[in-house]
Every structure is written in structure tokens, then in C-alpha cells.
Amino acid sequence: GAVVSQHPSRVICKSGTSVKIECRSLDFQATTMFWYRQFPKQSLMLMATSNEGSKATYEQGVEKDKFLINHASLTLSTLTVTSAHPEDSSFYICSGTGSVGYTFGSGTRLTVV
Amino acid sequence: GESVGLHLPTLSVQEGDNSIINCAYSNSASDYFIWYKQESGKGPQFIIDIRSNMDKRQGQRVTVLLNKTVKHLSLQIAATQPGDSAVYFCAEVSGNTPLVFGKGTRLSVIA
């Protein structure tokens, strides 16, 4: 079946530094990649939608200059958390969609110290 | 029984019993619904889906019921097993919009 490989699975970074999260669709072309954030004991909240080759569309309240999304190819999308702060600590999940429905990555646990 | 935790309602069931997890969705125009299972520290795992032109769909040990009149979805798990313990989310879609997730329910199976 369709697989989205997400890396890293866990990352700890210092406050003020940047972290890049990658999602690769392994056996399908992800024309659209959705990025979600999930805080403990809460549901997944959509952060942004990116279509291959286009600028991402961000949800209200999500800072586009802080959460940089690149979707330069049909198999790779990245989310860079810039100048990370402790409040950015969360579980980040990508979801790729193409002709195979919605396929989720395994998530990245980001801890900012 | 069912209780409401800090953010996530919890359903506790005995192993072997049937579980029913409920979800109220928000958009009457949604035409596709999915149930996901999420284990701790992992991404959501597809369980079963249903289109709005159906009111019931069965999978292996799982059944999804859709009541469009009251915008309600339910997931029934037969003969619940310890491996079913997880958080379950419903998600709704309208056209090409992103999935919108419900609040989630934690299922706890008592051996």
C-alpha cells in the first residue's frame, strides 16, 4: 500500500534553532501534502496545505514565516520550524494525498529545550 | 464506562466485549468519512471509511454507521482485544478539502 516516510521520528533541539522534518511518499505521487500538529491529549490540527510546486496555504493562526513548508517534488515535502521555542514542542504529522487517498507519516515528536 | 478526561473522552471495555465509539461531525456537506486509530507516539492508521451515500459499512471486526440526519458517525468494534487500545478519531472530508479530525476517544481495553 501507499507509504509516507517521515523523518526524524524524534528530535530535541535548543530554543532558537531550526528543525527540518521530511516526508517522502515512497510508492505514490503526493500532489498535496497536509501538515498537522498534535498536542498531548488533543486531536490533529491542520497547520497548512501544500500542493507540489506551489506556495503552501496556512491555517489561521499559523505563522508562515515560522513554519516553512517546501513541496518541490511529488515525492518530498519538508516542514522547517524556524527559531523554535518550547511552545513549539508538539507531535507533527504529514499526510500525503494523490490518487490513493490520504496516507499519514508516522509523526515527529519535537521537543524544544 | 465512558468518562471525559482532561481533553479526551475515554471508553473502557472488557476484553471480548463490543465497543462503540461515537463521533459528531460538523459539516453537513462532508461526503467522505474515515475512522483512524492512533497508538501512542505514532501517526494515524486507517481503519475504515464510508461515503455519504451509504449508512453502514463493515470491515473485519469493525462496522461504521453513518447518520446524516443528526451528523453522527459511530465505530463498532466486535470482540475488543487489548491490541485495540488506542485513540480513535473520526475525520470528515468535503470534496478536495483537507481531513478535519474530530476530538478523539481513548479506548482502554481491560483484560
Side-chain angles (χ1 to χ4, degrees), chain A residues 6-13 19-22 90-92 106-112, chain B residues 39-42:
Chain A
Q6 182 171 349
H7 293 280
S9 58
R10 290 179 178 269
V11 58
I12 301 173
C13 71
V19 172
K20 180 185 281 188
I21 301 169
E22 284 192 358
S90 188
F91 193 56
Y92 293 86
S106 53
T108 297
R109 171 74 59 196
L110 170 64
T111 303
V112 184
Chain B
E39 296 173 314
S40 182
K42 297 183 180 179

PDB file of all heavy atoms in Angstrom, chain A residues 6-13 19-22 90-92 106-112, chain B residues 39-42:
ATOM      1  N   GLN A   6       8.323   9.483   7.189  1.00  0.00           N
ATOM      2  CA  GLN A   6       8.551  10.754   7.868  1.00  0.00           C
ATOM      3  C   GLN A   6       9.760  10.646   8.783  1.00  0.00           C
ATOM      4  O   GLN A   6       9.863   9.714   9.589  1.00  0.00           O
ATOM      5  CB  GLN A   6       7.301  11.159   8.673  1.00  0.00           C
ATOM      6  CG  GLN A   6       7.437  12.505   9.368  1.00  0.00           C
ATOM      7  CD  GLN A   6       6.132  12.990   9.984  1.00  0.00           C
ATOM      8  OE1 GLN A   6       5.063  12.436   9.744  1.00  0.00           O
ATOM      9  NE2 GLN A   6       6.198  14.039  10.779  1.00  0.00           N
ATOM     10  N   HIS A   7      10.657  11.646   8.677  1.00  0.00           N
ATOM     11  CA  HIS A   7      11.869  11.655   9.494  1.00  0.00           C
ATOM     12  C   HIS A   7      12.202  13.076   9.939  1.00  0.00           C
ATOM     13  O   HIS A   7      11.936  14.028   9.199  1.00  0.00           O
ATOM     14  CB  HIS A   7      13.065  11.115   8.670  1.00  0.00           C
ATOM     15  CG  HIS A   7      12.940   9.687   8.333  1.00  0.00           C
ATOM     16  ND1 HIS A   7      13.236   8.685   9.226  1.00  0.00           N
ATOM     17  CD2 HIS A   7      12.522   9.075   7.203  1.00  0.00           C
ATOM     18  CE1 HIS A   7      13.016   7.522   8.648  1.00  0.00           C
ATOM     19  NE2 HIS A   7      12.589   7.725   7.426  1.00  0.00           N
ATOM     20  N   PRO A   8      12.778  13.244  11.109  1.00  0.00           N
ATOM     21  CA  PRO A   8      13.064  12.189  12.082  1.00  0.00           C
ATOM     22  C   PRO A   8      11.815  11.828  12.871  1.00  0.00           C
ATOM     23  O   PRO A   8      10.826  12.549  12.818  1.00  0.00           O
ATOM     24  CB  PRO A   8      14.103  12.854  12.981  1.00  0.00           C
ATOM     25  CG  PRO A   8      13.737  14.300  12.949  1.00  0.00           C
ATOM     26  CD  PRO A   8      13.221  14.569  11.566  1.00  0.00           C
ATOM     27  N   SER A   9      11.858  10.751  13.594  1.00  0.00           N
ATOM     28  CA  SER A   9      10.714  10.375  14.423  1.00  0.00           C
ATOM     29  C   SER A   9      10.725  11.153  15.743  1.00  0.00           C
ATOM     30  O   SER A   9       9.670  11.421  16.318  1.00  0.00           O
ATOM     31  CB  SER A   9      10.721   8.868  14.693  1.00  0.00           C
ATOM     32  OG  SER A   9      11.930   8.499  15.328  1.00  0.00           O
ATOM     33  N   ARG A  10      11.909  11.463  16.192  1.00  0.00           N
ATOM     34  CA  ARG A  10      12.050  12.268  17.418  1.00  0.00           C
ATOM     35  C   ARG A  10      13.208  13.239  17.237  1.00  0.00           C
ATOM     36  O   ARG A  10      14.229  12.881  16.648  1.00  0.00           O
ATOM     37  CB  ARG A  10      12.364  11.387  18.627  1.00  0.00           C
ATOM     38  CG  ARG A  10      11.241  10.509  19.086  1.00  0.00           C
ATOM     39  CD  ARG A  10      11.693   9.659  20.280  1.00  0.00           C
ATOM     40  NE  ARG A  10      10.596   8.829  20.762  1.00  0.00           N
ATOM     41  CZ  ARG A  10       9.732   9.194  21.702  1.00  0.00           C
ATOM     42  NH1 ARG A  10       9.849  10.389  22.258  1.00  0.00           N
ATOM     43  NH2 ARG A  10       8.760   8.403  22.070  1.00  0.00           N
ATOM     44  N   VAL A  11      13.041  14.440  17.748  1.00  0.00           N
ATOM     45  CA  VAL A  11      14.145  15.400  17.710  1.00  0.00           C
ATOM     46  C   VAL A  11      14.037  16.325  18.918  1.00  0.00           C
ATOM     47  O   VAL A  11      12.936  16.747  19.290  1.00  0.00           O
ATOM     48  CB  VAL A  11      14.156  16.192  16.382  1.00  0.00           C
ATOM     49  CG1 VAL A  11      12.853  16.938  16.161  1.00  0.00           C
ATOM     50  CG2 VAL A  11      15.342  17.135  16.310  1.00  0.00           C
ATOM     51  N   ILE A  12      15.191  16.568  19.503  1.00  0.00           N
ATOM     52  CA  ILE A  12      15.289  17.532  20.592  1.00  0.00           C
ATOM     53  C   ILE A  12      16.202  18.645  20.135  1.00  0.00           C
ATOM     54  O   ILE A  12      17.303  18.381  19.638  1.00  0.00           O
ATOM     55  CB  ILE A  12      15.859  16.878  21.870  1.00  0.00           C
ATOM     56  CG1 ILE A  12      14.962  15.721  22.320  1.00  0.00           C
ATOM     57  CG2 ILE A  12      16.004  17.911  22.981  1.00  0.00           C
ATOM     58  CD1 ILE A  12      15.541  14.908  23.470  1.00  0.00           C
ATOM     59  N   CYS A  13      15.766  19.869  20.251  1.00  0.00           N
ATOM     60  CA  CYS A  13      16.602  20.969  19.794  1.00  0.00           C
ATOM     61  C   CYS A  13      16.602  22.070  20.840  1.00  0.00           C
ATOM     62  O   CYS A  13      15.721  22.140  21.705  1.00  0.00           O
ATOM     63  CB  CYS A  13      16.127  21.510  18.445  1.00  0.00           C
ATOM     64  SG  CYS A  13      14.580  22.417  18.507  1.00  0.00           S
ATOM     65  N   VAL A  19      14.604  23.345  12.945  1.00  0.00           N
ATOM     66  CA  VAL A  19      14.494  21.896  12.758  1.00  0.00           C
ATOM     67  C   VAL A  19      13.731  21.622  11.466  1.00  0.00           C
ATOM     68  O   VAL A  19      12.701  22.241  11.208  1.00  0.00           O
ATOM     69  CB  VAL A  19      13.725  21.253  13.938  1.00  0.00           C
ATOM     70  CG1 VAL A  19      13.431  19.786  13.658  1.00  0.00           C
ATOM     71  CG2 VAL A  19      14.503  21.404  15.225  1.00  0.00           C
ATOM     72  N   LYS A  20      14.250  20.676  10.692  1.00  0.00           N
ATOM     73  CA  LYS A  20      13.585  20.313   9.446  1.00  0.00           C
ATOM     74  C   LYS A  20      13.005  18.916   9.560  1.00  0.00           C
ATOM     75  O   LYS A  20      13.680  17.979   9.990  1.00  0.00           O
ATOM     76  CB  LYS A  20      14.558  20.359   8.264  1.00  0.00           C
ATOM     77  CG  LYS A  20      13.898  19.981   6.929  1.00  0.00           C
ATOM     78  CD  LYS A  20      14.881  19.908   5.786  1.00  0.00           C
ATOM     79  CE  LYS A  20      15.236  21.269   5.270  1.00  0.00           C
ATOM     80  NZ  LYS A  20      16.058  21.194   4.033  1.00  0.00           N
ATOM     81  N   ILE A  21      11.758  18.781   9.149  1.00  0.00           N
ATOM     82  CA  ILE A  21      11.068  17.491   9.136  1.00  0.00           C
ATOM     83  C   ILE A  21      10.771  17.140   7.680  1.00  0.00           C
ATOM     84  O   ILE A  21      10.265  17.976   6.925  1.00  0.00           O
ATOM     85  CB  ILE A  21       9.753  17.563   9.940  1.00  0.00           C
ATOM     86  CG1 ILE A  21      10.042  17.967  11.387  1.00  0.00           C
ATOM     87  CG2 ILE A  21       9.016  16.229   9.885  1.00  0.00           C
ATOM     88  CD1 ILE A  21       8.806  18.327  12.182  1.00  0.00           C
ATOM     89  N   GLU A  22      11.089  15.902   7.314  1.00  0.00           N
ATOM     90  CA  GLU A  22      10.877  15.471   5.925  1.00  0.00           C
ATOM     91  C   GLU A  22       9.788  14.419   5.810  1.00  0.00           C
ATOM     92  O   GLU A  22       9.702  13.523   6.652  1.00  0.00           O
ATOM     93  CB  GLU A  22      12.171  14.843   5.377  1.00  0.00           C
ATOM     94  CG  GLU A  22      13.247  15.820   5.007  1.00  0.00           C
ATOM     95  CD  GLU A  22      14.362  15.151   4.218  1.00  0.00           C
ATOM     96  OE1 GLU A  22      14.308  13.920   4.000  1.00  0.00           O
ATOM     97  OE2 GLU A  22      15.284  15.867   3.817  1.00  0.00           O
ATOM     98  N   SER A  90       5.755  19.639  20.121  1.00  0.00           N
ATOM     99  CA  SER A  90       4.493  19.006  19.715  1.00  0.00           C
ATOM    100  C   SER A  90       4.808  17.787  18.865  1.00  0.00           C
ATOM    101  O   SER A  90       5.968  17.456  18.618  1.00  0.00           O
ATOM    102  CB  SER A  90       3.657  20.009  18.906  1.00  0.00           C
ATOM    103  OG  SER A  90       2.362  19.505  18.646  1.00  0.00           O
ATOM    104  N   PHE A  91       3.756  17.136  18.434  1.00  0.00           N
ATOM    105  CA  PHE A  91       3.862  15.996  17.519  1.00  0.00           C
ATOM    106  C   PHE A  91       3.406  16.495  16.148  1.00  0.00           C
ATOM    107  O   PHE A  91       2.285  16.991  16.021  1.00  0.00           O
ATOM    108  CB  PHE A  91       2.960  14.864  18.030  1.00  0.00           C
ATOM    109  CG  PHE A  91       3.179  13.530  17.376  1.00  0.00           C
ATOM    110  CD1 PHE A  91       4.426  12.942  17.367  1.00  0.00           C
ATOM    111  CD2 PHE A  91       2.122  12.838  16.802  1.00  0.00           C
ATOM    112  CE1 PHE A  91       4.629  11.696  16.790  1.00  0.00           C
ATOM    113  CE2 PHE A  91       2.311  11.591  16.220  1.00  0.00           C
ATOM    114  CZ  PHE A  91       3.571  11.022  16.215  1.00  0.00           C
ATOM    115  N   TYR A  92       4.298  16.429  15.170  1.00  0.00           N
ATOM    116  CA  TYR A  92       3.995  16.934  13.830  1.00  0.00           C
ATOM    117  C   TYR A  92       3.790  15.749  12.897  1.00  0.00           C
ATOM    118  O   TYR A  92       4.595  14.814  12.861  1.00  0.00           O
ATOM    119  CB  TYR A  92       5.124  17.833  13.331  1.00  0.00           C
ATOM    120  CG  TYR A  92       5.244  19.120  14.121  1.00  0.00           C
ATOM    121  CD1 TYR A  92       5.990  19.174  15.294  1.00  0.00           C
ATOM    122  CD2 TYR A  92       4.589  20.281  13.705  1.00  0.00           C
ATOM    123  CE1 TYR A  92       6.071  20.346  16.034  1.00  0.00           C
ATOM    124  CE2 TYR A  92       4.671  21.457  14.435  1.00  0.00           C
ATOM    125  CZ  TYR A  92       5.419  21.486  15.594  1.00  0.00           C
ATOM    126  OH  TYR A  92       5.497  22.643  16.329  1.00  0.00           O
ATOM    127  N   SER A 106       4.500   8.744  10.044  1.00  0.00           N
ATOM    128  CA  SER A 106       4.492   8.184  11.397  1.00  0.00           C
ATOM    129  C   SER A 106       4.670   9.249  12.463  1.00  0.00           C
ATOM    130  O   SER A 106       4.619   8.944  13.650  1.00  0.00           O
ATOM    131  CB  SER A 106       5.586   7.123  11.524  1.00  0.00           C
ATOM    132  OG  SER A 106       6.825   7.658  11.108  1.00  0.00           O
ATOM    133  N   GLY A 107       4.862  10.494  12.057  1.00  0.00           N
ATOM    134  CA  GLY A 107       4.926  11.576  13.016  1.00  0.00           C
ATOM    135  C   GLY A 107       6.336  11.890  13.493  1.00  0.00           C
ATOM    136  O   GLY A 107       7.231  11.036  13.476  1.00  0.00           O
ATOM    137  N   THR A 108       6.525  13.131  13.937  1.00  0.00           N
ATOM    138  CA  THR A 108       7.799  13.594  14.504  1.00  0.00           C
ATOM    139  C   THR A 108       7.511  14.243  15.839  1.00  0.00           C
ATOM    140  O   THR A 108       6.732  15.193  15.912  1.00  0.00           O
ATOM    141  CB  THR A 108       8.475  14.624  13.588  1.00  0.00           C
ATOM    142  OG1 THR A 108       8.793  14.010  12.338  1.00  0.00           O
ATOM    143  CG2 THR A 108       9.746  15.168  14.239  1.00  0.00           C
ATOM    144  N   ARG A 109       8.131  13.713  16.886  1.00  0.00           N
ATOM    145  CA  ARG A 109       7.989  14.302  18.216  1.00  0.00           C
ATOM    146  C   ARG A 109       9.084  15.348  18.375  1.00  0.00           C
ATOM    147  O   ARG A 109      10.252  15.016  18.445  1.00  0.00           O
ATOM    148  CB  ARG A 109       8.128  13.224  19.293  1.00  0.00           C
ATOM    149  CG  ARG A 109       8.208  13.755  20.717  1.00  0.00           C
ATOM    150  CD  ARG A 109       6.885  14.231  21.216  1.00  0.00           C
ATOM    151  NE  ARG A 109       5.889  13.166  21.196  1.00  0.00           N
ATOM    152  CZ  ARG A 109       4.579  13.392  21.299  1.00  0.00           C
ATOM    153  NH1 ARG A 109       4.117  14.621  21.419  1.00  0.00           N
ATOM    154  NH2 ARG A 109       3.744  12.382  21.277  1.00  0.00           N
ATOM    155  N   LEU A 110       8.709  16.617  18.392  1.00  0.00           N
ATOM    156  CA  LEU A 110       9.670  17.704  18.565  1.00  0.00           C
ATOM    157  C   LEU A 110       9.627  18.196  19.991  1.00  0.00           C
ATOM    158  O   LEU A 110       8.559  18.532  20.511  1.00  0.00           O
ATOM    159  CB  LEU A 110       9.341  18.859  17.606  1.00  0.00           C
ATOM    160  CG  LEU A 110      10.122  20.165  17.832  1.00  0.00           C
ATOM    161  CD1 LEU A 110      11.620  19.949  17.592  1.00  0.00           C
ATOM    162  CD2 LEU A 110       9.609  21.275  16.927  1.00  0.00           C
ATOM    163  N   THR A 111      10.795  18.242  20.613  1.00  0.00           N
ATOM    164  CA  THR A 111      10.934  18.801  21.953  1.00  0.00           C
ATOM    165  C   THR A 111      11.946  19.924  21.891  1.00  0.00           C
ATOM    166  O   THR A 111      13.090  19.715  21.480  1.00  0.00           O
ATOM    167  CB  THR A 111      11.399  17.738  22.960  1.00  0.00           C
ATOM    168  OG1 THR A 111      10.481  16.642  22.949  1.00  0.00           O
ATOM    169  CG2 THR A 111      11.476  18.319  24.362  1.00  0.00           C
ATOM    170  N   VAL A 112      11.530  21.110  22.284  1.00  0.00           N
ATOM    171  CA  VAL A 112      12.417  22.268  22.278  1.00  0.00           C
ATOM    172  C   VAL A 112      12.784  22.587  23.725  1.00  0.00           C
ATOM    173  O   VAL A 112      11.896  22.796  24.567  1.00  0.00           O
ATOM    174  CB  VAL A 112      11.741  23.484  21.612  1.00  0.00           C
ATOM    175  CG1 VAL A 112      12.726  24.650  21.528  1.00  0.00           C
ATOM    176  CG2 VAL A 112      11.219  23.119  20.232  1.00  0.00           C
TER     177      VAL A 112
ATOM    178  N   GLU B  39      -2.030   4.964  17.913  1.00  0.00           N
ATOM    179  CA  GLU B  39      -1.343   4.466  19.102  1.00  0.00           C
ATOM    180  C   GLU B  39      -0.336   5.509  19.554  1.00  0.00           C
ATOM    181  O   GLU B  39       0.088   6.371  18.777  1.00  0.00           O
ATOM    182  CB  GLU B  39      -0.674   3.127  18.788  1.00  0.00           C
ATOM    183  CG  GLU B  39      -1.696   2.039  18.454  1.00  0.00           C
ATOM    184  CD  GLU B  39      -1.068   0.741  17.984  1.00  0.00           C
ATOM    185  OE1 GLU B  39      -0.154   0.802  17.140  1.00  0.00           O
ATOM    186  OE2 GLU B  39      -1.481  -0.325  18.468  1.00  0.00           O
ATOM    187  N   SER B  40       0.057   5.404  20.794  1.00  0.00           N
ATOM    188  CA  SER B  40       0.914   6.411  21.398  1.00  0.00           C
ATOM    189  C   SER B  40       2.203   6.612  20.599  1.00  0.00           C
ATOM    190  O   SER B  40       2.912   5.647  20.304  1.00  0.00           O
ATOM    191  CB  SER B  40       1.250   5.992  22.834  1.00  0.00           C
ATOM    192  OG  SER B  40       2.047   6.968  23.453  1.00  0.00           O
ATOM    193  N   GLY B  41       2.495   7.851  20.236  1.00  0.00           N
ATOM    194  CA  GLY B  41       3.727   8.177  19.537  1.00  0.00           C
ATOM    195  C   GLY B  41       3.762   7.799  18.074  1.00  0.00           C
ATOM    196  O   GLY B  41       4.824   7.840  17.447  1.00  0.00           O
ATOM    197  N   LYS B  42       2.597   7.450  17.529  1.00  0.00           N
ATOM    198  CA  LYS B  42       2.558   7.049  16.123  1.00  0.00           C
ATOM    199  C   LYS B  42       1.560   7.897  15.346  1.00  0.00           C
ATOM    200  O   LYS B  42       0.715   8.570  15.927  1.00  0.00           O
ATOM    201  CB  LYS B  42       2.169   5.579  16.001  1.00  0.00           C
ATOM    202  CG  LYS B  42       3.164   4.618  16.627  1.00  0.00           C
ATOM    203  CD  LYS B  42       2.743   3.183  16.400  1.00  0.00           C
ATOM    204  CE  LYS B  42       3.734   2.216  17.017  1.00  0.00           C
ATOM    205  NZ  LYS B  42       3.320   0.803  16.825  1.00  0.00           N
TER     206      LYS B  42
END
